[in-house]
Amino acid sequence: GLVGRVTYGYDDRYLAEFNAGYNGSENFLEGKRFGFFPSLSVGWRVSNEEFMASTNHWLNNLKLRASYGQVGNDVYMINGVLQRFLYEQKWSQISNAYYFGTTGNTGIYEGQYPNYDVTWERAHKYNLGLEFGLWNGLLNGNLDLFSERREDILTAYLTRPQWVGVTMAAGNLGKTKNNGFEIELKHMNKIGKDFDYSVGITFSHAKNEIVDMNEPALKTDYRKREGHPIDQYFGLVSDGFVTSADMSDPNMPVSTYGTVKVGDLKYRDMNKDGFIDSRDETFIGYSNIPENTYALNLGCNYKGWGFSVMFQGVDHVSRYYDAE
């Protein structure tokens, strides 16, 4: 790979930076191995302009910034195992594949169907930012708006016919998006000669969505993962508890997960086929990636002794707890 950077600054008011990477990966076939990934950022320190001179006594820093960049990925994992050479046709050995009499013989089978067109996964990242400082540092803050569009994601084919019987190499099939904002505020002050303190708060909101993951077009809407967050939880929907009246109802769906008794959870038959099984699973709760993250930081110093504490939390997130 090759990387380069060019920076420019004029009078501490107008700032610009250009970065670029040109990277190659052996995971892809010749002609598909190299990708160019540029990024550009610009900044304007408004507080250093002459027309802002009258605000210097209360506005010490005001800066606007914007950036755009691309990032590439060539990593594809299956169950935590890195998959290499995605363009190759792979063969595997299997013992006792066929017999002559009672003797088993080793055979070979096609383990992976190749993908000659697979190439870099690419993310497009956008950011708008505002920085400010008030009253000689009493209050400082940052506000960022961000957006990310990821395309050509390396992922497995979900529309492969079952009768093919061969694992297919990954393809550039997925698309996701992620939008949000982040706010950071910090107050610092000094009381007397020996005591100073600081208070900082941060809050961020980010919501992602799977735009495309090669799901079959005819897949039932309530089972589709497209249109939902990454790692969205899917499962059965509870409709309360099984009652004596339910047990005597001839139209009560039959559970494929075991014998149902009074007091058990009653699950919704989403497809109305009369059975409760995996085809009734739908999106429930949130994903395991928090939409909101926040924190509070407190600190103080007195004659060389310091104390600090941080509180943090998340919400709009779901967790799966094992029955054990």
Side-chain angles (χ1 to χ4, degrees):
L2 299 173
V3 295
R5 181 177 70 167
V6 176
T7 62
Y8 173 79
Y10 176 75
D11 197 27
D12 201 26
R13 288 183 292 168
Y14 311 115
L15 311 168
E17 181 172 318
F18 175 77
N19 292 269
Y22 185 66
N23 304 98
S25 172
E26 62 187 0
N27 272 350
F28 311 130
L29 190 66
E30 287 189 54
K32 303 286 186 178
R33 288 180 174 170
F34 287 88
F36 178 68
F37 307 101
S39 66
L40 175 66
S41 61
V42 293
W44 177 27
R45 198 176 296 278
V46 184
S47 54
N48 285 356
E49 296 286 355
E50 291 184 5
F51 60 80
M52 296 291 291
S54 61
T55 66
N56 287 343
H57 62 286
W58 64 273
L59 180 62
N60 312 115
N61 177 39
L62 179 62
K63 180 182 178 183
L64 302 175
R65 46 185 168 76
S67 65
Y68 165 76
Q70 296 183 18
V71 179
N73 174 54
D74 68 333
V75 175
Y76 176 60
M77 310 279 286
I78 297 180
N79 297 325
V81 179
L82 178 66
Q83 306 298 304
R84 302 181 65 195
F85 313 123
L86 301 176
Y87 59 90
E88 283 190 339
Q89 185 179 30
K90 296 183 179 180
W91 296 83
S92 301
Q93 284 188 334
I94 183 171
S95 59
N96 298 327
Y98 60 95
Y99 284 80
F100 284 124
T102 59
T103 303
N105 296 273
T106 298
I108 60 172
Y109 67 95
E110 190 173 17
Q112 174 179 287
Y113 191 80
N115 186 343
Y116 301 127
D117 291 325
V118 68
T119 187
W120 286 90
E121 174 182 322
R122 192 176 295 264
H124 303 264
K125 299 175 180 284
Y126 306 83
N127 183 274
L128 291 175
L130 169 69
E131 300 176 11
F132 64 87
L134 304 175
W135 304 297
N136 294 317
L138 281 178
L139 181 63
N140 294 289
N142 287 286
L143 171 63
D144 285 277
L145 305 175
F146 58 84
S147 177
E148 179 181 337
R149 299 291 184 273
R150 189 174 291 269
E151 59 187 26
D152 295 331
I153 296 175
L154 295 170
T155 186
Y157 283 86
L158 299 181
T159 54
R160 173 180 61 89
Q162 293 182 348
W163 48 262
V164 171
V166 178
T167 300
M168 299 182 69
N172 298 108
L173 305 171
K175 293 182 181 179
T176 63
K177 63 181 180 180
N178 183 40
N179 301 303
F181 64 88
E182 183 176 46
I183 299 174
E184 180 181 5
L185 298 174
K186 187 171 185 180
H187 167 64
M188 301 176 64
N189 198 10
K190 190 170 186 178
I191 300 176
K193 184 174 67 174
D194 299 318
F195 182 79
D196 60 81
Y197 67 92
S198 64
V199 179
I201 60 172
T202 60
F203 177 82
S204 66
H205 171 78
K207 191 168 184 177
N208 64 70
E209 179 184 322
I210 298 173
V211 178
D212 184 10
M213 58 178 295
N214 192 234
E215 283 189 304
L218 297 178
K219 191 172 184 180
T220 310
D221 286 342
Y222 72 83
R223 297 185 65 202
K224 281 191 174 183
R225 297 181 182 270
E226 293 172 351
H228 296 283
I230 299 169
D231 291 338
Q232 167 72 54
Y233 283 102
F234 276 67
L236 299 174
V237 177
S238 173
D239 271 339
F241 296 93
V242 176
T243 65
S244 299
D246 292 323
M247 296 296 293
S248 59
D249 184 357
N251 296 319
M252 180 180 174
V254 177
S255 175
T256 62
Y257 297 107
T259 303
V260 175
K261 296 173 291 185
V262 173
D264 289 344
L265 286 172
K266 180 170 61 175
Y267 294 111
R268 187 177 303 171
D269 185 8
M270 295 293 294
N271 59 359
K272 309 298 183 182
D273 66 349
F275 295 92
I276 300 298
D277 54 26
S278 61
R279 288 173 292 185
D280 295 307
E281 293 182 355
T282 186
F283 48 91
I284 54 177
Y286 297 97
S287 80
N288 63 12
I289 303 173
E291 288 185 11
N292 299 321
T293 305
Y294 38 84
L296 170 65
N297 295 275
L298 305 173
C300 63
N301 289 278
Y302 179 73
K303 290 187 175 182
W305 291 86
F307 174 80
S308 63
V309 61
M310 180 180 70
F311 303 92
Q312 60 182 1
V314 299
D315 65 9
H316 280 203
V317 62
S318 295
R319 291 286 186 261
Y320 176 80
Y321 290 94
D322 193 279
E324 298 179 357

